[in-house]
Amino acid sequence: MKGEFDFITRHFRPLAGEESLDLRDDCALIPFASKFSGQEIAVSTDTMVENVHFLPSDPPYTLGKKLLRCNLSDLAAMGASPYAYTLNVTVPKLDKYNDAWFQDFSRGLKEDQSFYDIHLIGGDTTSTSGPLVLSATIFGTVPQGQALRRNTAQIGDSLWVTGTIGDAALGLLALQSKIPDPTGFLTQRYRLPEPKTTLKLNTIVNAAMDISDGLLQDSQHLSHESGVFISIWPHKVPRSQAARKLGNEWLELCLTGGDDYELLLACSPSNEKALQHECLEKNVQITKIGYMASGQGVRLLNEADQTIPFPKRLGWQHF
Amino acid sequence: MKGEFDFITRHFRPLAGEESLDLRDDCALIPFASKFSGQEIAVSTDTMVENVHFLPSDPPYTLGKKLLRCNLSDLAAMGASPYAYTLNVTVPKLDKYNDAWFQDFSRGLKEDQSFYDIHLIGGDTTSTSGPLVLSATIFGTVPQGQALRRNTAQIGDSLWVTGTIGDAALGLLALQSKIPDPTGFLTQRYRLPEPKTTLKLNTIVNAAMDISDGLLQDSQHLSHESGVFISIWPHKVPRSQAARKLGNEWLELCLTGGDDYELLLACSPSNEKALQHECLEKNVQITKIGYMASGQGVRLLNEADQTIPFPKRLGWQHF
């Protein structure tokens, strides 16, 4: 008993908001009704498993951040403001997971809590004979009826992405010593996604989702959910300087690799200026990469607007 | 992609409530403000790990139920009404976890969803090289300011427990072939806790918590959090017929074993009748097992009210 409670006191109580009741009771209590009148609650949950979603060599300092940021990206995709989260940590019985490890882990969480203005309200710590498993459930608020959906893209909308695409997939390869990453930029992008939580797009775009399984696969989801036919110009897909330096033979990986945590947006022509203005205000790169027409599915177009072959492996297979 | 989405469609979409947006979007959306005016939201999360919280031989049909019920027990301990949950399933890459396994798993969930009037609103499915890990985050509602806490027991209160104590710990031993369980009752109690979600005790008892780490250890928590000195009569601790049949040498295990998921309650003498009445109405066994005085800590008293030695191993060590 003492071990567990001391452990929570040391590492997690400093992260806890008042709703957590100091992580000492059976539940957290959120006074939603009095605190968020006229708001809906957006809830998302993500699990990260060692050797599947992160590497054993990834520093604990970035692991908690990555977990939070993947969840925050889901909130950003709904246009919800981050509020709080619960955390489930399932830890291997190995010497590696000592006090120093958890100090680094919770230091990373603490920094991101402060940066994204969220706090911990509950959790569970368990042990396992297997790899490290981290789950977080995140809560955000969004004005009633204004959540952004992925099933509301319209025919005639243009397709946009934030940031640059493919860096995280390349970062994973760099960490596996398969490609060079002299500046460490790609590695950083794999370890620390940058969810676009500051953007207020609820009244600007028609549809939004986050890109986590690869741009092309997620575009297929958008197409399927909204019932639109999506055309994408691969040569317009924004790539970082580090990604471009590797050469065009890596373009396909950028289009299909996972872990971008950028936003995929559908915007009517009349709101494109507003979209660009909001992104400029918030210092977020935004690029038009395609458009929606009637039909179903996704195609790729070259610079002459001719259809080009579609990659076979489309993106991250979860399961 | 297809694999994962088909999988979710088959096994989890039938469990999903409307807030889940059919489990097709980045977040679930809960219209708390319009749905639960004047209520607080109680949130609890629990993780169960194979070989730690359940056995590889436990049927998938009961696994999902057990996970839900452990979480529901936390809601019951706060006096909150169950509402919805998210589910994180981290599955070993083994043939065992096939479609039939998930059919049984989700059938169990479905039954309990119906019984406890809750539904699924989101989740994540991942794979692992290690053992099965299941996490659920559960949401309940409680009238503003009426949540039951574990830090509000009063000097002079009597101590009560629901149900019978120790069955689950004995059930685990039975499953390990260390003790007989001819009727299967103890095994059943290990696999399927019965959270006391129907009790409405918010205005009756002074404090409540659920017993998950062993009666004595959880009594220490209650003592510590409330700042009271607790006396317990072990001979009054209710044991099932199956537990009593094993003999008094198993009493200590009953007092210290985990997984009871019964409620530990502090009730002022003036409300004891109301407590008994509510439990009678809801067909829940309730037993007075001790009392609170000034001080800190827990002691055991024999039938002559003399202090008797305290067991060394106090209960479940999480970590």
Side-chain angles (χ1 to χ4, degrees):
Chain A
M1 172 184 76
K2 196 158 184 312
E4 190 202 8
F5 285 79
D6 280 358
F7 171 84
I8 291 172
T9 302
R10 278 200 307 281
H11 299 297
F12 294 125
R13 197 163 293 157
L15 306 176
E18 59 178 334
E19 301 88 340
S20 74
L21 310 176
D22 280 341
L23 303 175
R24 297 172 94 105
D25 220 311
D26 292 287
C27 296
L29 284 177
I30 310 180
F32 271 123
S34 57
K35 207 157 181 167
F36 300 114
S37 92
Q39 304 276 310
E40 290 183 281
I41 312 303
V43 181
S44 178
T45 189
D46 269 311
T47 298
M48 293 193 341
V49 183
E50 190 174 15
N51 284 317
V52 180
H53 305 88
F54 58 90
L55 299 171
S57 59
D58 283 340
Y61 167 71
T62 62
L63 279 190
K65 285 176 180 267
K66 182 167 184 174
L67 178 66
L68 286 184
R69 292 174 182 207
C70 296
N71 274 286
L72 286 163
S73 183
D74 287 318
L75 292 184
M78 300 289 273
S81 301
Y83 166 54
Y85 69 103
T86 57
L87 178 66
N88 302 58
V89 183
T90 301
V91 190
K93 286 176 179 164
L94 297 175
D95 291 342
K96 174 181 171 180
Y97 300 96
N98 55 19
D99 230 52
W101 192 95
F102 276 101
Q103 263 164 25
D104 285 347
F105 179 73
S106 58
R107 179 167 56 90
L109 287 173
K110 190 166 191 175
E111 278 183 16
D112 272 15
Q113 287 197 185
S114 166
F115 188 80
Y116 294 103
D117 196 16
I118 54 177
H119 52 266
L120 182 68
I121 61 168
D124 196 11
T125 310
T126 49
S127 63
T128 178
S129 60
L132 180 65
V133 180
L134 303 169
S135 290
T137 303
I138 200 156
F139 308 95
T141 60
V142 58
Q144 186 94 33
Q146 285 192 24
L148 290 170
R149 301 291 309 275
R150 58 171 71 181
N151 63 358
T152 44
Q154 305 295 314
I155 294 165
D157 283 355
S158 46
L159 183 71
W160 300 72
V161 290
T162 59
T164 54
I165 300 299
D167 298 324
L170 293 171
L172 177 57
L173 290 187
L175 282 165
Q176 294 165 338
S177 303
K178 291 177 183 168
I179 57 171
D181 182 23
T183 64
F185 173 85
L186 300 170
T187 302
Q188 175 82 354
R189 290 276 286 162
Y190 172 74
R191 287 181 172 159
L192 289 179
E194 293 170 13
K196 301 302 181 280
T197 52
T198 57
L199 295 179
K200 296 285 168 236
L201 301 174
N202 306 56
T203 58
I204 296 175
V205 300
N206 284 331
M209 64 181 289
D210 85 321
I211 307 171
S212 55
D213 297 343
L215 172 64
L216 295 192
Q217 187 177 134
D218 284 322
S219 296
Q220 287 193 324
H221 297 165
L222 186 63
S223 159
H224 182 76
E225 295 298 329
S226 290
V228 293
F229 181 55
I230 297 181
S231 301
I232 295 176
W233 300 291
H235 56 280
K236 292 193 180 175
V237 171
R239 285 181 293 157
S240 66
Q241 199 182 1
R244 286 197 312 271
K245 255 195 179 157
L246 290 167
N248 256 336
E249 63 266 39
W250 294 101
L251 174 59
E252 183 172 315
L253 183 85
C254 290
L255 299 178
T256 57
D259 273 346
D260 287 311
Y261 301 106
E262 298 292 345
L263 294 180
L264 186 63
L265 303 164
C267 186
S268 73
S270 57
N271 280 348
E272 290 186 351
K273 280 263 176 316
L275 172 60
Q276 288 172 297
H277 181 76
E278 169 67 8
C279 289
L280 189 65
E281 285 270 298
K282 302 292 169 61
N283 201 24
V284 170
Q285 182 179 343
I286 182 87
T287 310
K288 192 196 290 195
I289 63 163
Y291 61 92
M292 279 81 166
S294 72
Q296 274 281 354
V298 179
R299 67 172 174 178
L300 300 181
L301 297 176
N302 65 14
E303 296 182 47
D305 271 342
Q306 295 160 324
T307 302
I308 53 176
F310 213 75
K312 278 206 188 96
R313 188 186 182 282
L314 266 192
W316 178 250
Q317 309 293 316
H318 286 265
F319 186 67
Chain B
M1 172 184 77
K2 199 159 181 305
E4 189 203 7
F5 285 79
D6 280 359
F7 171 84
I8 291 172
T9 302
R10 279 199 308 281
H11 299 298
F12 294 125
R13 197 164 294 157
L15 306 176
E18 59 178 334
E19 301 88 341
S20 74
L21 310 177
D22 279 343
L23 303 174
R24 295 171 95 106
D25 221 310
D26 292 287
C27 296
L29 283 177
I30 311 179
F32 269 124
S34 57
K35 207 158 179 166
F36 300 114
S37 91
Q39 306 274 310
E40 290 183 281
I41 312 303
V43 181
S44 178
T45 189
D46 269 311
T47 298
M48 294 192 340
V49 182
E50 191 174 14
N51 284 317
V52 181
H53 305 87
F54 59 90
L55 300 171
S57 59
D58 283 339
Y61 168 70
T62 63
L63 280 190
K65 284 175 181 267
K66 182 167 184 172
L67 179 66
L68 285 184
R69 291 176 183 205
C70 296
N71 274 286
L72 286 162
S73 183
D74 287 317
L75 291 183
M78 299 290 274
S81 300
Y83 165 55
Y85 70 103
T86 57
L87 178 65
N88 302 57
V89 183
T90 301
V91 191
K93 286 176 179 164
L94 297 175
D95 291 343
K96 174 181 172 182
Y97 300 96
N98 55 19
D99 230 53
W101 191 95
F102 276 99
Q103 263 163 27
D104 285 349
F105 179 73
S106 58
R107 180 169 55 89
L109 288 173
K110 189 167 192 175
E111 278 183 17
D112 272 16
Q113 287 197 184
S114 167
F115 189 80
Y116 293 104
D117 197 15
I118 53 177
H119 51 267
L120 182 68
I121 60 168
D124 196 10
T125 309
T126 49
S127 64
T128 177
S129 60
L132 180 65
V133 179
L134 303 169
S135 291
T137 303
I138 199 156
F139 309 94
T141 60
V142 58
Q144 186 94 34
Q146 284 191 25
L148 290 169
R149 302 289 310 274
R150 59 172 70 181
N151 62 359
T152 44
Q154 305 294 316
I155 293 165
D157 282 355
S158 47
L159 183 71
W160 300 73
V161 289
T162 60
T164 54
I165 300 299
D167 298 325
L170 293 170
L172 176 57
L173 290 186
L175 282 165
Q176 294 165 337
S177 303
K178 291 178 182 167
I179 58 171
D181 182 23
T183 65
F185 173 85
L186 299 170
T187 302
Q188 176 81 356
R189 289 276 285 163
Y190 172 74
R191 287 181 173 158
L192 288 179
E194 293 171 13
K196 301 302 182 282
T197 51
T198 58
L199 294 179
K200 295 282 169 239
L201 301 175
N202 306 56
T203 58
I204 296 176
V205 301
N206 284 332
M209 63 182 289
D210 86 321
I211 307 171
S212 55
D213 296 343
L215 173 63
L216 295 192
Q217 185 177 135
D218 284 324
S219 296
Q220 288 194 323
H221 296 164
L222 186 63
S223 160
H224 181 76
E225 295 297 329
S226 290
V228 294
F229 181 55
I230 297 180
S231 300
I232 295 175
W233 299 292
H235 55 281
K236 292 192 178 175
V237 171
R239 284 180 294 157
S240 66
Q241 201 183 359
R244 286 197 312 272
K245 255 193 179 159
L246 291 168
N248 257 336
E249 62 266 38
W250 294 100
L251 175 58
E252 183 172 316
L253 184 84
C254 289
L255 299 177
T256 57
D259 271 347
D260 287 311
Y261 300 107
E262 298 291 346
L263 294 180
L264 186 63
L265 303 164
C267 185
S268 73
S270 57
N271 280 350
E272 290 187 352
K273 280 264 176 313
L275 172 60
Q276 288 172 297
H277 181 76
E278 170 66 8
C279 289
L280 190 64
E281 285 268 299
K282 303 291 169 62
N283 202 24
V284 170
Q285 182 179 340
I286 182 88
T287 310
K288 191 197 290 194
I289 63 163
Y291 61 91
M292 279 83 166
S294 71
Q296 274 280 356
V298 179
R299 66 172 174 178
L300 300 181
L301 297 175
N302 66 13
E303 296 181 47
D305 272 344
Q306 295 160 323
T307 301
I308 53 177
F310 214 73
K312 278 207 186 95
R313 188 186 184 282
L314 266 194
W316 177 251
Q317 311 292 315
H318 286 264
F319 186 69

